């Protein structure tokens, strides 16, 4: 008997059993989930409803049901020829369904919802206004940055043109045996100087109120008047007439 009761490991029943690893765990999880869902449904059915929920259910049930002959208003309409499902009015152009009820269940006062809506719209508009102001501020900052960069580039170009004019002025003055410049800044300063000379020249620079553009304008005019030289053309003309007739102008813009 014991041998007959032992499982036959070569039988089809034993071979067809699903012995994939982890399968019992998956089955237990599914059973647990199903059990939990059934328990929730049972709790929902057995849960005692609140007074507000019961009132809402009764109200919805009444509103969904059609008016009958026991309703006095409906009975009066029928006496005047009204039929169920017919539109109101002499020509039948009125409403078919009754005006829906907007039942207020909260404890807030009348107009509270409109006030909340208005405040929400104001808050949204303030937020949009802040975004617009922030965007405008960022654009203005970007424009100012571009202007600063452009001004810096123009200033560096003018400084280069001034050094070029100073170098040309020094060479042309020396060709005419002029040992001392008309103004100290007309010539380039020597690269190697002692500390005392540097302090003296710093005092001279601070005492001068001329900007780089003003110095450049004065020095180019000096070169044109005294040496008939145009730094923009890079040419020394024979005389003032030759300079005025062949040179486009006394500025970089005129030579562009």
């Amino acid at each position: 008997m014991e041998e007959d009761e032992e499982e036959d490991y070569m039988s089809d029943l034993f071979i067809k059993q699903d012995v994939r690893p982890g399968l019992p765990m998956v089955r237990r999880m599914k059973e647990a989930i199903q059990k939990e869902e059934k328990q929730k449904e049972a709790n929902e059915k057995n849960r005692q409803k609140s007074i507000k929920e019961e009132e809402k259910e009764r109200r919805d049930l009444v509103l969904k049901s059609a008016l009958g002959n026991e309703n006095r208003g409906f009975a009066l309409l029928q006496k005047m020829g009204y039929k169920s499902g017919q539109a109101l009015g002499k020509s039948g152009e009125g409403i078919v369904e009754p005006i829906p009820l907007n039942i207020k269940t909260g404890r807030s006062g009348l107009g509270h919802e409109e006030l909340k809506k208005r405040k929400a719209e104001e808050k949204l508009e303030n937020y949009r206004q802040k975004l617009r102001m922030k965007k405008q501020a960022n654009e203005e900052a970007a424009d100012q940055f571009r202007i600063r960069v452009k001004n810096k580039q123009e200033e560096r170009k003018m400084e280069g043109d001034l050094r070029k004019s100073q170098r040309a002025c020094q060479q042309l003055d020396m060709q005419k045996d002029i040992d001392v410049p008309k103004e100290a800044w007309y010539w380039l300063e020597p690269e190697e100087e002692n500390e005392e000379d540097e302090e003296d020249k710093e005092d001279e620079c601070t005492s001068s109120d001329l900007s780089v553009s003003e110095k450049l304008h004065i020095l180019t005019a000096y070169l044109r008047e005294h040496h008939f030289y145009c730094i923009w053309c890079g040419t020394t003309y024979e005389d003032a007439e030759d300079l005025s007739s062949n040179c486009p102008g006394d500025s970089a813009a005129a030579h562009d």
Side-chain angles (χ1 to χ4, degrees), residues 160-197:
D161 293 336
L162 179 60
R163 288 192 294 271
K164 181 180 176 182
S165 301
Q166 289 172 329
R167 191 179 298 108
C169 181
Q170 185 174 0
Q171 292 175 355
L172 293 172
D173 282 348
M174 287 182 175
Q175 289 177 6
K176 290 187 177 182
D177 297 330
I178 299 175
D179 297 331
V180 179
K182 184 177 180 181
E183 296 288 344
W185 55 267
Y186 274 33
W187 290 7
L188 282 174
E189 299 178 0
E191 295 181 359
E192 296 181 359
E193 296 179 337
N194 55 30
E195 295 181 356
E196 294 181 358
D197 293 338

Side-chain angles (χ1 to χ4, degrees), residues 136-152:
Q136 184 178 358
N138 291 337
E139 291 176 353
E140 291 177 356
D143 292 339
Q144 293 176 0
F145 176 75
R146 284 192 290 268
I147 292 172
R148 288 197 300 270
V149 171
K150 184 178 179 181
N151 292 339
K152 193 69 175 179

Side-chain angles (χ1 to χ4, degrees), residues 57-74:
E57 288 182 358
R58 289 196 299 268
R59 183 171 58 246
D60 293 340
L61 182 62
V62 172
L63 292 176
K64 288 178 181 178
S65 60
L67 295 176
N69 295 330
E70 68 277 2
N71 185 279
R72 293 184 179 181
F74 187 71

Side-chain angles (χ1 to χ4, degrees), residues 14-177:
F14 186 81
I15 293 173
K16 289 180 180 179
Q17 291 182 359
D18 196 344
V19 292
R20 286 178 294 177
L23 189 62
M25 178 65 71
V26 174
R27 288 177 179 171
R28 285 196 296 271
M29 289 179 64
K30 288 183 178 179
E31 291 175 357
I33 292 172
Q34 292 175 357
K35 186 177 180 181
E36 185 178 355
E37 290 177 353
K38 290 180 180 179
Q39 185 66 34
K40 285 183 179 179
E41 292 177 359
N43 293 338
E44 188 68 23
K45 290 179 180 179
N46 297 328
R47 184 178 66 88
Q48 185 177 1
K49 296 180 181 179
S50 62
I51 298 176
K52 289 185 178 180
E53 290 176 342
E54 291 178 355
E55 289 178 352
K56 185 177 183 302
E57 288 182 358
R58 289 196 299 268
R59 183 171 58 246
D60 293 340
L61 182 62
V62 172
L63 292 176
K64 288 178 181 178
S65 60
L67 295 176
N69 295 330
E70 68 277 2
N71 185 279
R72 293 184 179 181
F74 187 71
L76 290 173
L77 287 174
Q78 284 183 325
K79 288 180 180 180
M80 289 185 289
Y82 174 78
K83 294 181 181 180
S84 181
Q86 181 182 355
L88 297 179
K90 185 176 180 180
S91 57
E93 295 179 353
I95 61 174
V96 178
E97 298 294 333
I99 298 174
L101 296 177
N102 186 11
I103 299 173
K104 185 176 180 300
T105 57
R107 302 184 65 182
S108 58
L110 296 175
H112 181 69
E113 294 298 327
E114 292 295 329
L115 180 62
K116 284 176 61 178
K117 183 179 178 181
R118 186 167 64 252
K119 286 185 176 180
E121 291 176 353
E122 292 176 356
K123 186 177 181 181
L124 180 61
E125 183 61 27
N126 292 335
Y127 177 71
R128 289 174 178 172
Q129 183 68 19
K130 288 181 181 180
L131 289 180
R132 287 194 292 267
M133 293 175 63
K134 186 177 180 180
K135 182 180 179 182
Q136 184 178 358
N138 291 337
E139 291 176 353
E140 291 177 356
D143 292 339
Q144 293 176 0
F145 176 75
R146 284 192 290 268
I147 292 172
R148 288 197 300 270
V149 171
K150 184 178 179 181
N151 292 339
K152 193 69 175 179
Q153 291 174 347
E154 292 177 353
E155 185 178 354
R156 289 178 179 175
K157 186 176 183 302
M158 282 191 295
E159 289 175 353
D161 293 336
L162 179 60
R163 288 192 294 271
K164 181 180 176 182
S165 301
Q166 289 172 329
R167 191 179 298 108
C169 181
Q170 185 174 0
Q171 292 175 355
L172 293 172
D173 282 348
M174 287 182 175
Q175 289 177 6
K176 290 187 177 182
D177 297 330

